[in-house]
Amino acid sequence: MGFVFLLLAFFAIGVVQGQLRVGFYSNTCPDAESMVSSVVRNAAQSISNIPPVLLRLHFHDCFVEGCDGSILIENGPKAERHAFGHQGVGGFEVIEQAKAQLEATCPGVVSCADIVALAARDAIALANGPSYEVPTGRRDGRVSDVSLAANMPDVSDSIQQLKAKFLQKGLSEKDLVLLSAAHTIGTTACFFMTKRLYKFSPAGVSDPAINPDFLPQLQSICPQNGDVNVRLPMDRGSERTFDKQILDNIRNGFAVLESDARLYDDETTRMVVDSYFGVLTPIFGPSFESDFVDSIVKMGQIGVKTGPKGEIRRVCTAFN
């Protein structure tokens, strides 16, 4: 029975992946990908933090109801985008701008879900990260409910909770490490640091995983009872470049987010982190960039709607 279940599960995943393909719009809207790239590039020229914002938007979209653009819907306070776990998520206006241009050229063809995935790819490239092909053909979902986002990964989750939440989405411990490494670009708010710096235990001490030389720096940026909206880089020393520096920071106690630090608490995830810093890694691998691409493409397959299971929205903020 177990073998049959695994076989059926494998077949189901294969069918979903088979319905997405690189160049899905090559005949129906051949300039679709270049149009999205242009919008993202122009947005980044005026708003410097657009790359991490769009990358985070893709992650948050895929983790609720799959990669179906459900986070883009704005239909009142019960819309998914207002969930506590989506605090600080942005980039909606960039997706809407790309959609408007695509609708003017190829009406009713390109889904909002695909625009989100393509925009994340373009954002990574703008931060000097790896270039990669995005399988497309997703359709937009017809559900947006704030309650469905109740189980998002959280910065205060234990490593066991993080592993379980990723496994529920078909993602491995290796995927957890690599997708967490997307924190190599962008900033976080002191709001997400308070527990780690001042209330990590009932005794009111800080997280012992923080390097003693780093702790005063974090506390000076985010003082106790200070402004929780102050922002700080998530990747010490390399916040604007997409690279593996964040994993080296995690190894040495310089992780900013608590959830990133927890990756070094677990033997399996610790081995993945360390694998990118072996003496022979530059020659024989593994390659952080290549592995990250594998993980984000895999994430982009979560719960996709294809064929009659979804729609192509006319505007990304509303169902048809």
Side-chain angles (χ1 to χ4, degrees), residues 156 190-208 210 215 219 222-226 228 258:
S156 61
C190 288
F191 174 84
F192 297 106
M193 300 297 296
T194 302
K195 172 179 174 284
R196 189 173 192 222
L197 295 178
Y198 303 106
K199 301 175 182 177
F200 190 73
S201 73
V205 298
S206 58
D207 182 354
I210 302 173
L215 180 60
Q219 291 178 327
C222 301
Q224 194 164 16
N225 302 318
V228 296
E258 183 181 338

Side-chain angles (χ1 to χ4, degrees), residues 75-91:
N75 60 355
K78 294 294 185 181
E80 179 200 317
R81 69 158 72 182
H82 299 300
F84 180 82
H86 289 330
Q87 284 185 102
V89 174

Side-chain angles (χ1 to χ4, degrees), residues 179-190:
L179 294 171
S180 296
H183 295 148
T184 179
I185 53 175
T187 61
T188 189
C190 288

Side-chain angles (χ1 to χ4, degrees), residues 6-23:
L6 286 173
L7 189 63
L8 288 172
F10 176 79
F11 178 74
I13 292 171
V15 168
V16 169
Q17 292 180 342
Q19 291 175 334
L20 298 185
R21 68 178 189 273
V22 173

Side-chain angles (χ1 to χ4, degrees), residues 162-181:
L162 290 168
K163 287 164 66 173
K165 288 179 179 181
F166 273 67
L167 184 61
Q168 287 171 358
K169 304 299 179 183
L171 299 171
S172 67
E173 288 106 332
K174 184 175 182 179
D175 296 321
L176 167 60
V177 171
L178 289 157
L179 294 171
S180 296

